[in-house]
């Protein structure tokens, strides 16, 4: 589904990614972890073409992301992305946030978009809040709306970049629960997170990055049970 082959990337003269290779198969959940500044966000931004790479090749299903002339707008409409800071439209209700892309990008009718919005918002327990504005909701509720908004577009895969890092501790689980359910339903997911409990529970594989390199790319149990590199051992000892 997602194939990353030997990518290297520079910001100016600073090399942020060095020869990274990995892939995510359909239905797989891959957690990306590593110290701050190791290139995790950059890696997943490259997957949906938000950041260009200077070397290597990325394909997502039949999109060659790194090829010249690829329709990146079309690609991004097919890949859901959820960031640390829930980027909902503040001046629109939850309902409007969920309907907009469906109508504008997918060309769904108002009724169709609305039915989908209500079903998705109901699934994350927020139907009573569907006509509120984002600012009237808690951070955890907003992040659940952000996930639902992505799902409204029927994505082929979901990318998450530290979706719970900006949340108060008591709200983290309500967001992780939604992600666990999504994983169990078979969504293809690439998740940057420090939530190692989540990783252990749902990840098929864990990628550990350091200084722009993929240091480990292992089955979850192997990674936690027996990290190979000193850097991963050191990271886990600090975080667990
Ligand atoms: P992580 O998500 O693992 O914390 P990032 O991918 O955000 O790491 O950043 C990796 C490195 O690239 C960091 O040293 C960061 O300062 C640098 N960096 C990130 N974005 C930019 C940018 N737009 N321009 C220049 N340097 C950047
Ligand atoms: Mg980051």
């Amino acid at each position: 589904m997602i194939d990353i082959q030997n990518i290297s990337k520079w910001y100016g003269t600073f090399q942020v990614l060095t020869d990274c290779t990995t892939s995510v198969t359909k239905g797989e959940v891959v957690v990306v972890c590593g110290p701050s500044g190791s290139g995790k966000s950059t890696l997943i931004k490259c997957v949906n073409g938000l950041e260009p790479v200077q070397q290597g090749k990325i394909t997502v299903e039949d999109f060659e992301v790194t090829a010249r002339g690829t329709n990146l707008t079309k690609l991004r409409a097919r890949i859901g992305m959820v960031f640390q800071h829930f980027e909902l439209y503040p001046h629109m209700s939850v309902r409007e946030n969920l309907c907009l892309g469906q109508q504008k990008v997918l060309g769904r009718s108002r009724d169709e978009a609305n039915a989908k919005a209500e079903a998705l918002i109901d699934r994350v327990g927020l139907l009573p809040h569907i006509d509120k504005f984002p600012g009237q909701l808690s951070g955890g509720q907003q992040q659940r709306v952000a996930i639902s908004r992505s799902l409204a577009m029927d994505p082929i895969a979901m990318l998450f970049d530290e979706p719970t890092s900006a949340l108060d501790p008591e709200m983290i689980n309500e967001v992780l629960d939604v992600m666990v359910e999504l994983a169990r339903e078979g969504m293809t997911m690439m998740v940057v997170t420090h939530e190692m409990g989540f990783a252990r529970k749902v990840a098929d594989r864990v990628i550990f990055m350091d200084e722009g390199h993929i240091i480990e790319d292992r089955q979850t149990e192997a990674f936690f049970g027996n990290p190979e590199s000193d850097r991963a051992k050191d990271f886990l000892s600090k975080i667990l």
Side-chain angles (χ1 to χ4, degrees), residues 11 14 16 35-42 51:
Y11 286 120
F14 172 69
V16 57
S36 178
S38 56
K40 307 178 298 292
S41 295
T42 303
E51 283 287 351

Side-chain angles (χ1 to χ4, degrees), residues 38-63:
S38 56
K40 307 178 298 292
S41 295
T42 303
L43 181 74
I44 65 162
K45 281 184 200 156
C46 291
V47 171
N48 72 350
L50 282 176
E51 283 287 351
V53 301
Q54 283 80 32
Q55 284 176 15
K57 182 174 166 182
I58 300 175
T59 52
V60 178
E61 219 174 36
D62 48 355
F63 289 97

Side-chain angles (χ1 to χ4, degrees), residues 73-86:
T73 309
K74 203 169 157 197
L75 167 78
R76 288 186 204 125
R78 305 297 329 275
I79 302 181
M81 178 130 187
V82 176
F83 300 91
Q84 185 172 346
H85 296 283
F86 5 98

